[in-house]
Amino acid sequence: MTIFNADEIRAALETAFPVPMDEYEDAFYCQLMAGSLNDLAKVYKRRFNETVDEIKAGGLLSEDFVLVQEESRRKEVDIKALRNGLPDLFQEVVHVTTSDAAKLLSNRFIYEAVKKKIGDRITDYDAVNVDDLEARLPEPELSEYMKIITIPKGYVVKRVSQRRRN
């Protein structure tokens, strides 16, 4: 079996699909190629997963290959053990994550608690959820208090005509 590296695959692709000389056509080519390769990567990933399932289900063995399940590692605190074993230290380091606090408490409660803690400085951090405002204001008033901001996402090249350069 021949194993290809990224440079060899790129060379094969660029032989089959030559790189345009015009900058816009090249940008368009790269955009289309990146999308196609992303789609192709999904196909190979799905095929890989299906083949691994077949190997595992059939108990298949190979003289040349071995199926190894890779693992990632992360550290995790044993909360119960720390709470019981070192209660003073536990009290120093225990907290609720921001995302859990938001799930457990209302946004209004969190706002009032922070305001109580930092006073008028809270205005530097004021935020309003767009969906909440849209649910409470009819359209004529809504546009008075909401604006749409355009944020550049990056460039996209579009083909204006089907005319090709030789």
Side-chain angles (χ1 to χ4, degrees):
M1 173 172 36
T2 304
I3 308 275
F4 301 101
N5 66 35
D7 289 334
E8 292 169 323
I9 293 170
R10 179 178 172 198
L13 284 171
E14 290 179 357
T15 298
F17 305 100
V19 176
M21 298 304 288
D22 175 79
E23 286 81 359
Y24 275 94
E25 282 195 60
D26 186 39
F28 186 66
Y29 166 92
C30 290
Q31 177 179 277
L32 292 177
M33 190 62 79
S36 297
L37 292 172
N38 189 24
D39 292 344
L40 190 58
K42 291 175 187 173
V43 169
Y44 277 104
K45 181 66 174 174
R46 185 174 51 250
R47 191 168 121 197
F48 169 80
N49 289 332
E50 289 169 354
T51 305
V52 166
D53 287 346
E54 289 174 16
I55 291 168
K56 287 174 19 186
L60 304 177
L61 300 174
S62 168
E63 291 180 17
D64 299 317
F65 301 97
V66 62
L67 187 60
V68 176
Q69 184 171 10
E70 291 185 328
E71 298 173 333
S72 62
R73 297 173 54 137
R74 66 182 175 100
K75 296 176 181 178
E76 187 174 278
V77 175
D78 185 337
I79 300 289
K80 189 175 181 179
L82 184 61
R83 182 186 297 124
N84 294 332
L86 299 169
D88 291 339
L89 177 59
F90 176 77
Q91 286 303 316
E92 289 178 34
V93 297
V94 70
H95 69 279
V96 175
T97 65
T98 309
S99 59
D100 284 342
K103 289 178 203 171
L104 296 167
L105 305 169
S106 71
N107 285 338
R108 189 74 203 161
F109 179 86
I110 293 170
Y111 179 84
E112 292 299 331
V114 173
K115 183 177 180 181
K116 186 176 178 182
K117 190 81 169 167
I118 69 169
D120 289 341
R121 287 185 301 138
I122 194 152
T123 59
D124 294 337
Y125 304 96
D126 284 346
V128 174
N129 184 294
V130 169
D131 293 334
D132 290 343
L133 191 61
E134 286 177 330
R136 289 172 174 79
L137 282 179
E139 183 48 50
E141 276 184 279
L142 185 61
S143 60
E144 187 177 334
Y145 299 102
M146 189 181 316
K147 58 186 172 188
I148 296 175
I149 299 170
T150 303
I151 301 166
K153 293 190 316 184
Y155 292 100
V156 174
V157 177
K158 295 183 179 181
R159 187 179 294 279
V160 178
S161 69
Q162 293 299 323
R163 183 179 60 121
R164 298 216 178 226
R165 295 182 183 182
N166 293 330

